[in-house]
Amino acid sequence: MSSDNGQPVLVIHDEATLCAKACGMEPARVNELAGFARERGLSLVRTIVERGGVDEAALMKGLAEQLGVSHQNEAIQVDDAVLSAVSATLATRHHVIPLGWTPDGRLRLGCAEPFNWRQWDELTQLLDSPIEKVLCPHAVIDRMLTTHYGLGADTVERLVGDRQEAVQTIDAVSTDLSEEQAANEPTVVNLVNRILAEAIRAGATDIHFEPYDSRYRVRYRIDGMLEEVSMPVSVKLLKLALVSRIKIMANLDITEKRLPQDGRAQVSLSGQSYDLRVSVLPGVFGEAVNIRLQTRSMVTLRLEDLGFEQSERIKIEKLIQQPHGLVLVTGPTGSGKTTTLYTCLGQINKPDTKIITVEDPVEYWTENILQMQVKEEVGFTFARALRSILRHDPDVVLVGEIRDRETAEIAIRASLTGHLVFATLHTNDAASAVTRLIDIGIEPFLVSSSVSGIIAQRLARNVCPHCKRQVEAQGLADLPVSWLGAGCERCRFTGYRGRTAVAEVLQVTPPIRELIQQRHTADRIKEAAIEEGMRTLRDAAVEAVRTGRTSVAEMVRVTMEDA
């Protein structure tokens, strides 16, 4: 803080002294940070937390004691009547949250900036109410603002107010035009950008915009599970403008509302670029939108980073070091098949190896690998791409997905003529991949001759390492204890953070090859593989529970078909 003539005043030293006492930091270091904050117009509290490495909750508690005010270090539920005392715009602009009323009628207002005296004078005048200051960590206020007002509530509040006023003067015949104009207003652009940015920061893979009769729902898919995003109720009034804005980003026709549309866009956040795959579906109550988020980044993963146990890693490494053969990765959509394939490619991506991929779409961007994108609308299919690839003298080929007999035949032919081929299939387990190839018309002798190994995998959510605790593993005699996450800010109070791969690896040995040629069932092939030492998906998931990586509930969820 400075005086009118720009000179620092004594309160800076007083604030620094209070902070030093509150957090136990050396006064000289706090004064140094105070000078840094003052020169750059930054918050002293935020500077101490971010540059001084101080726990913000502890600092708030200490400052509350020094200032003689109360503090609130956890998010709480607030009544709607209390929330109505402060508009979303005002709460967001000043970064405060109403918490309740005192017996004598003062509004308890949570804040993360105890020394912004001008702000408190302004709030007292704007709210026309006496205020009791309550110190809260910055993250707690962020969470409560989103939970109680909804993501982007201030933007929605301003835009809805503007549109309600505009409705009185806009003729009905101008509806389409007003939608396009609204979609290009900074408020709509900002709202979509905030939804995208929040999804990226949360690690979401998909964003779902879903219109209903009485509400408009936004959900993120995080770690494979859908989580509803708290949005203001009035956002339903903006559903046409939101969809129009997303269509404009993806170069889609904003006037077409009767047919599905698909498009792409690119965004960046903190220097990182992301590809957006946009799908629009017409519904009864409006158009639903799904946005798939993909990172435009280089992949440098290891098998152990994905969660594979040592026994599976050894088998996989043996498969990918072979000079030729077909290696299949199977599992449902979203089970991490592409990530596993690119991790394998990364381990064999050497200067003396030529690798070509054909995918739909290209999900990872990798150095020294020629990557191709399928474009079925112009006839560039997997099968056609594969024929062209084989004329480019590759050592290793990756096929994004075997969808039909033609693609399967070319992939098998490539593996039999000296190429190492990786591909994916949608089957429940490893043994079923064999029967799937036979079912689409591939002769058993070709399957047995070409396929060298099959990896079937699932993704189980990791128990959050920051709030995990031991519990009894009821119903599993060989697991006396397991782990659960209590829920914290870092895991968005889900108890889970990140995912780990659980897999079964079927090596096509001579006995397995013989069973394939004799057209035995998938169950018989699986039984023989287990006899040879294959660990099933359920076994791998149990081991993940035993080592504390995931929970019993996750084990059951992701391997239910393998029980």
Side-chain angles (χ1 to χ4, degrees):
M1 186 182 295
S2 59
S3 62
D4 292 339
N5 60 11
Q7 297 298 315
V9 293
L10 185 60
V11 70
I12 287 293
H13 175 74
D14 290 340
E15 292 170 0
T17 301
L18 288 171
C19 288
K21 291 180 179 179
C23 66
M25 185 181 287
E26 288 293 328
R29 174 58 175 158
V30 176
N31 282 326
E32 178 185 338
L33 292 173
F36 178 90
R38 183 172 66 253
E39 290 171 3
R40 292 161 177 79
L42 304 175
S43 157
L44 174 58
V45 171
R46 296 300 298 163
T47 301
I48 290 175
V49 170
E50 294 173 0
R51 300 187 66 86
V54 172
D55 179 71
E56 188 175 12
L59 177 59
M60 286 297 170
K61 181 180 179 182
L63 283 174
E65 294 173 352
Q66 295 288 324
L67 295 170
V69 299
S70 57
H71 70 279
Q72 178 70 46
N73 281 346
E74 295 182 355
I76 61 172
Q77 188 65 34
V78 180
D79 291 339
D80 290 342
V82 176
L83 290 173
S84 64
V86 183
S87 69
T89 301
L90 191 64
T92 303
R93 185 170 73 240
H94 290 278
H95 200 249
V96 295
I97 185 75
L99 300 173
W101 301 92
T102 64
D104 59 356
R106 289 178 296 163
L107 178 63
R108 301 182 71 247
L109 209 58
C111 73
E113 294 297 335
F115 302 126
N116 193 339
W117 314 113
R118 183 178 299 173
Q119 176 193 51
W120 289 97
D121 290 341
E122 183 178 346
L123 284 169
T124 300
Q125 294 178 4
L126 291 172
L127 297 174
D128 193 24
S129 170
I131 295 172
E132 179 181 288
K133 186 184 300 185
V134 181
L135 302 190
C136 301
H138 195 272
V140 170
I141 294 179
D142 280 342
R143 178 169 179 79
M144 292 185 67
L145 285 172
T146 300
T147 300
H148 291 93
Y149 289 109
L151 181 64
D154 55 325
T155 300
V156 173
E157 190 173 73
R158 290 198 302 272
L159 182 56
V160 169
D162 293 342
R163 284 172 64 85
Q164 286 174 339
E165 293 175 3
V167 165
Q168 299 174 5
T169 59
I170 294 178
D171 194 274
V173 296
S174 303
T175 300
D176 288 339
L177 179 61
S178 67
E179 285 173 19
E180 183 172 2
Q181 290 174 337
N184 285 291
E185 290 176 16
T187 44
V188 174
V189 172
N190 290 342
L191 179 59
V192 173
N193 289 349
R194 288 174 71 170
I195 293 172
L196 289 170
E198 173 68 15
I200 291 170
R201 293 191 186 100
T205 56
D206 293 84
I207 309 173
H208 297 260
F209 296 82
E210 303 166 330
Y212 298 99
D213 185 26
S214 60
R215 61 183 298 221
Y216 193 77
R217 182 164 70 171
V218 177
R219 294 192 287 177
Y220 297 157
R221 188 174 294 280
I222 302 173
D223 293 335
M225 306 297 287
L226 283 172
E227 294 183 17
E228 185 162 353
V229 181
S230 177
M231 297 293 295
V233 175
S234 54
V235 76
K236 66 183 180 182
L237 301 175
L238 306 177
K239 63 182 181 181
L240 296 177
L242 286 172
V243 173
S244 293
R245 170 57 190 165
I246 295 169
K247 284 182 177 179
I248 289 170
M249 291 176 63
N251 294 314
L252 300 178
D253 184 357
I254 66 170
T255 64
E256 178 57 73
K257 297 178 173 61
R258 300 165 299 173
L259 298 174
Q261 296 189 70
D262 295 294
R264 298 177 185 275
Q266 291 184 10
V267 297
S268 61
L269 180 67
S270 302
Q272 175 65 61
S273 296
Y274 298 86
D275 282 329
L276 310 183
R277 291 168 56 195
V278 179
S279 176
V280 182
L281 289 177
V284 175
F285 299 109
E287 291 176 290
V289 178
N290 178 75
I291 300 177
R292 167 65 59 90
L293 296 167
Q294 295 175 326
T295 310
R296 294 175 61 95
S297 60
M298 303 303 176
V299 180
T300 54
L301 295 174
R302 300 173 301 169
L303 289 171
E304 51 266 39
D305 295 333
L306 303 183
F308 289 106
E309 294 289 345
Q310 184 177 6
S311 60
E312 277 75 38
R313 291 203 306 269
I314 292 172
K315 293 177 182 178
I316 294 172
E317 287 168 356
K318 182 179 179 180
L319 289 174
I320 67 179
Q321 294 301 330
Q322 297 182 55
H324 57 80
L326 176 59
V327 178
L328 297 171
V329 181
T330 77
T333 300
S335 59
K337 299 186 296 295
T338 303
T339 302
T340 296
L341 284 173
Y342 266 95
T343 302
C344 292
L345 291 183
Q347 295 197 201
I348 59 176
N349 187 6
K350 304 293 191 300
D352 60 354
T353 303
K354 180 167 183 176
I355 303 174
I356 306 179
T357 76
V358 53
E359 305 164 74
D360 184 23
V362 175
E363 295 187 26
Y364 294 106
W365 301 69
T366 308
E367 289 284 1
N368 303 319
I369 291 179
L370 177 58
Q371 298 171 281
M372 297 193 300
Q373 167 79 51
V374 166
K375 294 184 176 64
E376 294 190 355
E377 63 272 16
V378 296
F380 189 56
T381 62
F382 277 111
R384 184 171 180 178
L386 269 175
R387 292 194 196 94
S388 301
I389 285 174
L390 296 179
R391 293 193 288 269
H392 271 255
D393 187 32
D395 298 294
V396 180
V397 176
L398 184 152
V399 184
E401 183 182 348
I402 293 179
R403 296 177 178 174
D404 51 42
R405 176 178 177 176
E406 187 180 13
T407 305
E409 286 178 339
I410 301 171
I412 287 174
R413 190 188 318 142
S415 69
L416 293 174
T417 55
H419 303 88
L420 180 59
V421 181
F422 294 94
T424 71
L425 273 177
H426 289 284
T427 61
N428 291 332
D429 60 10
S432 297
V434 171
T435 55
R436 175 64 57 83
L437 290 175
I438 295 174
D439 288 343
I440 65 175
I442 306 300
E443 290 295 331
F445 77 91
L446 287 175
V447 177
S448 64
S449 301
S450 61
V451 178
S452 55
I454 306 167
I455 305 164
Q457 71 177 61
R458 300 288 189 276
L459 292 179
R461 290 182 294 172
N462 287 324
V463 175
C464 176
H466 304 287
C467 61
K468 65 190 300 186
R469 54 186 176 85
Q470 276 193 341
V471 295
E472 291 186 7
Q474 298 179 356
L476 295 174
D478 58 339
L479 288 176
V481 297
S482 64
W483 297 84
L484 277 180
C488 64
E489 288 281 351
R490 300 192 185 188
C491 65
R492 299 170 62 87
F493 294 92
T494 63
Y496 297 97
R497 183 179 173 89
R499 291 189 286 179
T500 187
V502 293
E504 62 183 25
V505 182
L506 190 158
Q507 295 172 296
V508 181
T509 60
I512 299 294
R513 204 166 274 123
E514 182 68 23
L515 292 175
I516 295 173
Q517 290 178 355
Q518 295 175 4
R519 292 180 179 266
H520 278 277
T521 65
D523 288 341
R524 178 66 189 97
I525 294 172
K526 181 174 183 177
E527 181 182 321
I530 293 173
E531 291 172 357
E532 293 186 350
M534 184 185 80
R535 187 164 61 174
T536 67
L537 282 167
R538 173 56 64 91
D539 293 337
V542 169
E543 185 61 26
V545 174
R546 189 192 310 280
T547 55
R549 286 183 291 137
T550 193
S551 67
V552 173
E554 275 296 284
M555 176 200 72
V556 173
R557 183 181 70 84
V558 302
T559 62
M560 188 177 299
E561 297 163 338
D562 196 51

